[in-house]
Amino acid sequence: IPVGQRSEPTLSSECLIKRAAYLVADSSSTFLSQTTYALVESLTEYTTAVYTLISLQKKYTSLLDKMNSNEESAIWQVINGARVQMKQLKEQYLKYESSWKRAVSLSEMAAEAAYQSGADQASVTVRNHIQIVQSQVQEAQDQAHMAEVQLTASQAEEIKRTITEDKGNPPSGGSPRSSLSEEEEIPEAYLRED
Amino acid sequence: IPVGQRSEPTLSSECLIKRAAYLVADSSSTFLSQTTYALVESLTEYTTAVYTLISLQKKYTSLLDKMNSNEESAIWQVINGARVQMKQLKEQYLKYESSWKRAVSLSEMAAEAAYQSGADQASVTVRNHIQIVQSQVQEAQDQAHMAEVQLTASQAEEIKRTITEDKGNPPSGGSPRSSLSEEEEIPEAYLRED
């Protein structure tokens, strides 16, 4: 009887801590899922926006000789709009990326707390979850990176062509084509070497 | 209409992340409460055990001249039992202390995640909770420390007395009193200088 009496409060504290650790593991997983969905979704939106911009720029380049200045100005505005949207989507995914990183750290800590509290199953579940979302995010990041590489390549080509053409035809001051290099809306990818 | 359409998925992701951050904040608080209860309770049990040992030792010292060797041996066994229990309770509270520290770190991270996700109220609540439990634990730790200081003082006094008496009466080999300094069950506090 004294053994039972003495170990009861201990068991009870341990049991309550273990249950609370399960709750923390569960909610951390929920937080991790939500931040992962948001990040993958925003990375996908960003990637789509990058490809939209690439295709608009290609169309612009291919039609350059067949457009009058009104048509040129119109398509240039569309391209600028696409650039602005791409920039906004990049800011959005960077914001979600920092939330997601916080969620990963929190989940790692929750997995450790669960393990130390004897909630081994919850700990294993959270650690598996972390691995799965890390590979999901990696995949979406790789795709965004591939799109950025293509954008950089296509823009480098366009700059080269613009410079070559500008040598033949001196710039007509404020025309959409000559303003390309001064354009404030140029995305960072434009200037990167990667 | 396009403004509403475009911002809807963003709002939805943010909303879901915020709700998940509330869940994490809630469960971290529960985990923090449970580890705090366990730690404060085990610190109190430990403190009680230290005072029990002090009072048993004082009784032993005061009755030393009036006991025969059987009585002396009996009370010595009781003192040893009290020492073993004190040691076990110390191990227990150190275990809960590390759980509690993990819970504090986890709650700090949950508060930060809540704040960054726009769940400001949850963030403030968790931070307040952390401060409250830190002062509760501090108080229980101070009381345990005070008890340890008294134990050290009372044991130092007893050693001095034993040494003085042993000079007069050479040790009778394996008697409870002379074995005090070789006793493996001597708690760490016995040897500490604080």
Side-chain angles (χ1 to χ4, degrees):
Chain A
I1 293 163
V3 174
Q5 277 181 332
R6 195 184 287 174
S7 62
E8 231 174 61
T10 309
L11 260 177
S12 167
S13 278
E14 273 172 13
C15 188
L16 290 166
I17 289 174
K18 197 202 272 192
R19 282 179 199 174
Y22 268 108
L23 288 181
V24 173
D26 277 358
S27 60
S28 299
S29 266
T30 304
F31 188 56
L32 186 58
S33 293
Q34 295 300 348
T35 52
T36 303
Y37 294 143
L39 175 56
V40 169
E41 198 176 86
S42 67
L43 270 168
T44 307
E45 282 177 27
Y46 169 71
T47 305
T48 307
V50 175
Y51 283 122
T52 302
L53 182 59
I54 293 171
S55 94
L56 281 170
Q57 283 179 339
K58 283 200 173 139
K59 187 161 268 170
Y60 172 73
T61 311
S62 70
L63 294 175
L64 209 52
D65 305 330
K66 297 155 200 156
M67 288 188 288
N68 61 37
S69 78
N70 278 350
E71 287 168 332
E72 208 177 301
S73 170
I75 199 170
W76 193 252
Q77 278 189 355
V78 173
I79 288 177
N80 265 348
R83 257 188 207 145
V84 170
Q85 216 202 338
M86 186 186 75
K87 245 185 131 174
Q88 285 170 346
L89 289 169
K90 180 154 194 167
E91 277 165 21
Q92 191 185 58
Y93 100 65
L94 289 173
K95 200 189 73 183
Y96 286 135
E97 198 173 52
S98 65
S99 293
W100 178 77
K101 282 179 183 168
R102 249 191 312 276
V104 170
S105 306
L106 221 152
S107 299
E108 279 168 351
M109 206 179 244
E112 180 61 21
Y115 178 74
Q116 297 290 348
S117 309
D120 304 37
Q121 193 50 54
S123 174
V124 170
T125 305
V126 173
R127 285 195 206 283
N128 287 343
H129 190 187
I130 293 171
Q131 286 195 344
I132 291 166
V133 302
Q134 275 174 333
S135 69
Q136 284 174 340
V137 166
Q138 187 62 54
E139 202 183 317
Q141 280 171 333
D142 288 349
Q143 286 180 0
H145 185 69
M146 266 171 54
E148 284 178 341
V149 168
Q150 287 192 36
L151 179 65
T152 310
S154 106
Q155 283 175 327
E157 205 176 300
E158 201 191 340
I159 288 175
K160 213 185 285 174
R161 184 198 302 265
T162 312
I163 291 167
T164 316
E165 285 178 7
D166 281 356
K167 275 185 186 162
N169 315 313
S172 53
S175 100
R177 271 157 63 201
S178 68
S179 71
L180 176 65
S181 52
E182 303 154 25
E183 185 54 64
E184 280 203 323
E185 307 296 349
I186 295 171
E188 294 145 58
Y190 203 101
L191 306 164
R192 289 202 335 213
E193 290 294 312
D194 58 356
Chain B
I1 293 165
V3 174
Q5 278 182 331
R6 195 182 288 173
S7 63
E8 230 173 64
T10 307
L11 260 177
S12 168
S13 278
E14 273 171 12
C15 188
L16 289 167
I17 289 175
K18 196 202 274 190
R19 282 180 199 174
Y22 268 108
L23 287 180
V24 173
D26 277 359
S27 61
S28 299
S29 266
T30 304
F31 188 56
L32 187 58
S33 293
Q34 294 301 348
T35 51
T36 304
Y37 294 145
L39 175 55
V40 170
E41 198 176 88
S42 68
L43 270 167
T44 307
E45 281 177 27
Y46 168 71
T47 305
T48 307
V50 175
Y51 282 122
T52 301
L53 182 59
I54 293 172
S55 94
L56 281 170
Q57 283 179 340
K58 281 196 176 145
K59 186 161 268 173
Y60 171 74
T61 309
S62 70
L63 292 176
L64 210 51
D65 305 328
K66 296 157 202 157
M67 289 188 287
N68 61 36
S69 76
N70 278 350
E71 286 167 333
E72 206 176 304
S73 169
I75 199 169
W76 193 250
Q77 278 190 355
V78 173
I79 288 177
N80 265 348
R83 259 186 205 144
V84 170
Q85 217 201 339
M86 186 187 75
K87 245 185 132 173
Q88 286 170 344
L89 288 169
K90 180 153 196 169
E91 277 165 23
Q92 192 186 57
Y93 100 66
L94 289 174
K95 200 189 72 183
Y96 285 135
E97 198 175 51
S98 66
S99 293
W100 178 76
K101 283 179 183 167
R102 251 192 309 278
V104 170
S105 306
L106 222 152
S107 299
E108 280 168 352
M109 206 178 244
E112 180 60 22
Y115 177 74
Q116 297 290 348
S117 309
D120 304 35
Q121 192 50 54
S123 175
V124 170
T125 305
V126 173
R127 285 194 208 284
N128 287 344
H129 190 185
I130 293 171
Q131 286 194 344
I132 289 165
V133 302
Q134 275 173 333
S135 69
Q136 284 174 340
V137 165
Q138 186 62 55
E139 200 182 317
Q141 281 170 333
D142 288 348
Q143 284 181 359
H145 185 69
M146 265 170 55
E148 284 178 342
V149 169
Q150 287 193 35
L151 179 66
T152 309
S154 107
Q155 283 176 327
E157 204 176 302
E158 202 190 340
I159 287 176
K160 211 185 286 173
R161 184 199 300 264
T162 310
I163 291 168
T164 316
E165 286 179 8
D166 281 356
K167 274 184 186 164
N169 313 316
S172 54
S175 100
R177 272 157 63 201
S178 68
S179 71
L180 177 65
S181 53
E182 304 153 25
E183 186 56 65
E184 279 203 323
E185 306 296 346
I186 295 171
E188 295 145 58
Y190 202 103
L191 306 163
R192 287 200 337 211
E193 289 295 310
D194 57 358

